[in-house]
Amino acid sequence: IKAVSKSKRISLGWVLISLLLFKGCLLYYYELNSFRKKVMNRAFDFLLWDVDGTLLDFLAAEKIAIRSLFKDFDLGECTDEMLKRYSSINADYWKKLERGEMSKAEILIKRFESFFKEEKISDVDCAAFDRAYQKRLGETVVFRDNSFELVSQLKGKIPQYAASNGTVVAQTGKLTNSGLIKLLEKLGAEKPSVLFFEKVFEALGPIDPKRILIVGDSLASDILGAKNAGIQSCWYNPYHLPNNTEISPDYEIDHLNKVLDILDLNRLKQ
């Protein structure tokens, strides 16, 4: 009798184990099927965000940083007119970087040399000024639109990456102080160089380029680079600037929230 009872207990044990395994298989199948459905329904598999000028207001941060450094370096007042001239000089140098005419290390110093020369301000250690500027930029955070809330909303729905041309010091500071570093993975190289997008593909693994969307404010770097790599592009154009180039983005928006329409967030929720 004891042998029979023991046999029954063993049989019942195996039945319970089998039921638990079956339940586990069903749950795994359900979750896997739900994941597949979610991935197949979304418009893109990866979202790349430009940082300066798109997620963050670079021009506003630039003004705050330079004005504060004029005080630190005892250079007197930095007027709005001076800031406009600096912004123009800075933009010209970054275009040279985009065209491959100068290296990043060169433009970081040359822009301040040209600026101080034009303003007839002498005896400024431009290398030291730039180092302080990079650090101050990283400490100065001004969001565009509702970028933080938007990136937070999309977290877990689609992998998001920070695609930036900026220096490591400034960008690490910005992403950390803004809180975006907790929401985004980082990618870095000069856009629109082939190297940048090679690093993108290296980081993302085997992927159809058409399943990647980059959102940025620069036609010359973000959009042209995406075109050259076969990636889908979205031009963030909040000021409705005319496009006088031959560079055609796949999408154009004037507010970051409109990215949700491109991604089709309703399908992402399924």
Side-chain angles (χ1 to χ4, degrees):
I1 296 173
K2 288 182 179 180
V4 173
S5 298
K6 185 177 180 180
S7 176
K8 285 183 177 179
R9 286 198 300 270
I10 293 173
S11 298
L12 286 172
W14 279 111
V15 169
L16 288 173
I17 291 171
S18 299
L19 287 173
L20 288 172
L21 287 172
F22 180 69
K23 181 180 179 181
C25 289
L26 284 177
L27 288 172
Y28 175 77
Y29 175 78
Y30 174 77
E31 291 178 2
L32 181 63
N33 193 49
S34 298
F35 175 77
R36 285 175 174 170
K37 185 184 293 185
K38 185 176 180 180
V39 170
M40 290 176 67
N41 280 339
R42 69 190 184 198
F44 295 95
D45 292 329
F46 295 95
L47 178 59
L48 310 184
W49 290 106
D50 171 56
V51 178
D52 289 326
T54 303
L55 292 179
L56 300 179
D57 191 331
F58 175 76
L59 293 179
E62 178 184 72
K63 290 179 181 178
I64 295 169
I66 289 183
R67 278 202 165 116
S68 67
L69 287 176
F70 259 64
K71 292 180 181 179
D72 292 352
F73 280 72
D74 197 22
L75 299 176
E77 181 186 6
C78 183
T79 65
D80 289 340
E81 290 72 22
M82 292 168 70
L83 284 169
K84 287 179 182 177
R85 287 193 288 272
Y86 169 74
S87 290
S88 177
I89 291 170
N90 185 49
D92 287 342
Y93 273 105
W94 279 98
K95 287 176 183 176
K96 291 179 181 180
L97 176 68
E98 292 170 355
R99 293 193 297 265
E101 297 171 5
M102 297 181 72
S103 69
K104 184 184 292 184
E106 289 176 313
I107 70 165
L108 294 179
I109 308 301
K110 289 290 185 183
R111 59 182 177 175
F112 286 119
E113 290 178 348
S114 298
F115 171 59
F116 289 127
K117 182 178 180 180
E118 184 168 321
E119 298 303 322
K120 296 180 173 56
I121 299 175
S122 58
D123 300 325
V124 180
D125 185 339
C126 293
F129 192 92
D130 178 68
R131 286 194 297 271
Y133 176 66
Q134 298 304 325
K135 188 173 184 297
R136 193 63 50 84
L137 267 184
E139 298 167 349
T140 309
V141 175
V142 183
F143 290 104
R144 292 305 312 252
D145 300 338
N146 60 328
S147 59
F148 184 83
E149 291 78 10
L150 177 60
V151 174
S152 298
Q153 180 181 352
L154 290 173
K155 184 174 175 61
K157 297 182 174 68
I158 184 170
Q160 301 176 88
Y161 289 78
S164 174
N165 261 351
T167 64
V168 173
V169 172
Q171 295 306 328
T172 300
K174 290 175 190 177
L175 293 174
T176 300
N177 292 318
S178 67
L180 289 170
I181 200 166
K182 297 178 180 179
L183 304 172
L184 301 169
E185 299 292 333
K186 288 196 298 180
L187 297 169
E190 273 73 53
K191 295 172 288 183
S193 74
V194 175
L195 175 62
F196 174 82
F197 290 99
E198 284 180 354
K199 287 190 175 184
V200 170
F201 294 132
E202 182 181 325
L204 302 185
I207 182 70
D208 179 359
K210 294 295 183 183
R211 302 287 296 171
I212 303 173
L213 176 69
I214 186 169
V215 182
D217 67 310
S218 172
L219 287 169
S221 60
D222 303 313
I223 310 306
L224 178 59
K227 286 292 181 186
N228 291 338
I231 290 175
Q232 296 283 288
S233 62
C234 175
W235 182 30
Y236 174 52
N237 185 19
Y239 303 113
H240 302 104
L241 301 175
N243 182 356
N244 298 319
T245 73
E246 296 181 357
I247 305 168
S248 300
D250 297 293
Y251 305 94
E252 181 177 340
I253 58 174
D254 56 10
H255 194 284
L256 292 178
N257 259 358
K258 293 185 178 179
V259 167
L260 297 177
D261 296 328
I262 299 172
L263 296 175
D264 197 347
L265 188 63
N266 290 327
R267 291 201 302 176
L268 283 174
K269 290 180 179 178
Q270 292 181 5

